[in-house]
Amino acid sequence: MPTESARFPRIRMRRSRASSWSRELVREHRLAPADFLWPVFVIEGSGMAQPIASMPGVFRLTIDRLVPAAAEAAALGIPVMALFPMIDPARKTNDGAESIRADNLVCRAVKAVKQAVPEIGIMCDAALDPFTDHGHDGIVIDGRIANDETVAQLVHQSLVQVEAGCDIIAPSDMMDGRIGAIRDALEAAGHQDTIILSYAAKYASAFYGPFRDAVGSPRQIGKQGKTTYQMDAGNGDEALREVALDIAEGADWVMVKPGMPYLDILRRVKERFGMPTFVYQVSGEYAMLQAAGQNGWLDGDRAMMEALLGFKRAGADGILTYAAVDIAKRLKAES
Ligand code: PBG
């Protein structure tokens, strides 16, 4: 920190702010397309882009529409696309068995993008919720989320997705021990270069509502929701333990989720561990900004840029945001 031994008027903070060129020169943080990971929803069928009412500007894409979208993102300099499937309800079960079928929607989407746009990184969640009929991220046995049985299923799901060509496995389920189990299985299967991006500090949040609409999961899941596995919003130190465990188990990168209400956690994680650290600006954060923008209550674009820049200032190396393509275009137009 600079020591402020001199005083006003020798010091005038406004000198550096007086002109555009000097503001540019002293700016500490900037956004670039390379900061973004773009989450995209995929559906069965062809030729469709289905709007999602609670996420204005976001669409569920059929694979034939996903491929050109991936090409556009890559051309804009966005490094990673994260794929989330909306599964036919008839294929959903308690154990989410559809998640381990090698020819399921996600795997076909991964293959199609990999083949047509090999230059973009592909991330897939390891989590059962898009595939379970109850919407939980785990298998329910005797009314409880069965940790170890779920981990076994996640290992299988990860292998299937990596074999389809997925580059980054992102466990988003918050079961205990899943990073180590997935890492060991990947090594044993010869997938030594697969990156594990752990949703390490993931909170039980009201801000996931629109995402659940997007993948066709129930909004409210039982009385407890996901509170028996996702973190309690009142806890900060616990997030550091979660992150430490995932690093010890073999995570390459870690994530904090949601973003804006957890900026303190992001900063603490980055400072404590110095790992590649990511943040997820989740569906509810996106929806709030879009809604206020559409109503003219906020300048939506500027508010979005400011929210994203806040993540970088707080220590994020990259940001998952549904606005990735829009903002990348905007940044390009401004440069
Ligand atoms: C599934 C998953 C969720 C999100 C990403 N992966 C929802 C949840 O845990 O309920 C949320 C993303 C968002 O809200 O944008 N495990």
Side-chain angles (χ1 to χ4, degrees):
M1 269 311 201
T3 47
E4 308 287 356
S5 51
R7 292 213 201 306
F8 175 83
R10 290 178 181 159
I11 289 185
R12 288 183 187 269
M13 294 302 284
R14 292 181 56 195
R15 286 185 198 117
S16 307
R17 294 178 202 142
S19 48
S20 169
W21 60 261
S22 70
R23 289 192 298 273
E24 286 284 339
L25 192 64
V26 301
R27 184 167 298 139
E28 297 169 44
H29 298 280
R30 295 189 153 75
L31 289 171
D35 294 322
F36 303 135
L37 300 86
W38 185 33
V40 182
F41 298 105
V42 196
I43 43 167
E44 294 286 1
S46 65
M48 275 191 299
Q50 265 179 10
I52 300 157
S54 52
M55 300 182 74
V58 176
F59 300 84
R60 300 183 195 96
L61 303 177
T62 51
I63 292 176
D64 59 326
R65 301 285 294 263
L66 176 72
V67 168
E72 184 186 30
L76 285 164
I78 294 171
V80 171
M81 188 177 215
L83 300 180
F84 294 94
M86 186 200 216
I87 299 298
D88 174 359
R91 291 189 176 272
K92 296 189 183 189
T93 54
N94 172 34
D95 65 355
E98 177 66 8
S99 68
I100 62 172
R101 200 167 61 82
D103 198 36
N104 69 17
L105 176 60
V106 203
C107 293
R108 278 180 282 122
V110 170
K111 280 183 201 149
V113 174
K114 258 284 121 163
Q115 199 187 354
V117 193
E119 64 273 24
I120 201 160
I122 302 182
M123 162 176 155
C124 293
D125 267 27
L128 303 183
D129 56 303
F131 306 91
T132 57
D133 50 12
H134 39 68
H136 275 299
D137 294 42
I139 301 172
V140 181
I141 300 176
D142 296 333
R144 288 168 183 252
I145 309 301
N147 192 88
D148 303 5
E149 289 81 351
T150 299
V151 169
Q153 192 81 316
L154 295 172
V155 165
H156 203 151
Q157 179 187 27
S158 301
L159 288 172
V160 159
Q161 291 176 155
V162 170
E163 271 145 30
C166 169
D167 303 292
I168 304 170
I169 290 292
S172 69
D173 57 291
M174 291 298 278
M175 296 302 123
D176 288 319
R178 88 277 206 220
I179 301 298
I182 293 170
R183 174 57 79 209
D184 290 350
L186 289 172
E187 285 292 325
H191 301 300
Q192 53 191 19
D193 291 330
T194 302
I195 289 167
I196 297 180
L197 167 51
S198 175
Y199 288 71
K202 174 168 176 178
Y203 286 85
S205 173
F207 289 93
Y208 306 150
F211 175 94
R212 303 223 177 126
D213 298 344
V215 299
S217 282
R219 278 247 172 164
Q220 180 59 38
I221 305 169
K223 233 175 48 206
Q224 303 192 99
K226 299 190 176 184
T227 52
T228 70
Y229 42 105
Q230 298 178 347
M231 285 183 54
D232 187 293
N235 295 347
D237 293 345
E238 188 190 357
L240 302 183
R241 290 185 71 197
E242 283 283 5
V243 172
L245 284 167
D246 287 0
I247 295 169
E249 289 177 30
D252 302 286
W253 302 343
V254 295
M255 192 202 300
V256 172
K257 176 185 175 196
M260 198 136 69
Y262 299 90
L263 285 174
D264 57 324
I265 307 298
L266 176 58
R267 161 58 66 180
R268 290 176 73 186
V269 166
K270 184 63 188 177
E271 275 185 354
R272 170 79 68 99
F273 301 103
M275 292 282 286
T277 304
F278 295 82
V279 66
Y280 202 139
Q281 182 192 50
V282 300
S283 56
E285 299 176 63
Y286 173 85
M288 286 193 301
L289 292 168
Q290 290 294 107
Q294 287 190 344
N295 276 302
W297 297 336
L298 288 178
D299 178 335
D301 282 347
R302 281 184 50 216
M304 178 61 75
M305 298 276 266
E306 190 176 328
L308 296 172
L309 193 54
F311 294 132
K312 289 209 70 181
R313 203 182 55 246
D317 295 293
I319 306 161
L320 285 100
T321 173
Y322 299 98
V325 166
D326 287 349
I327 298 298
K329 283 183 188 161
R330 204 186 142 105
L331 291 168
K332 207 170 169 187
E334 281 174 2
S335 67

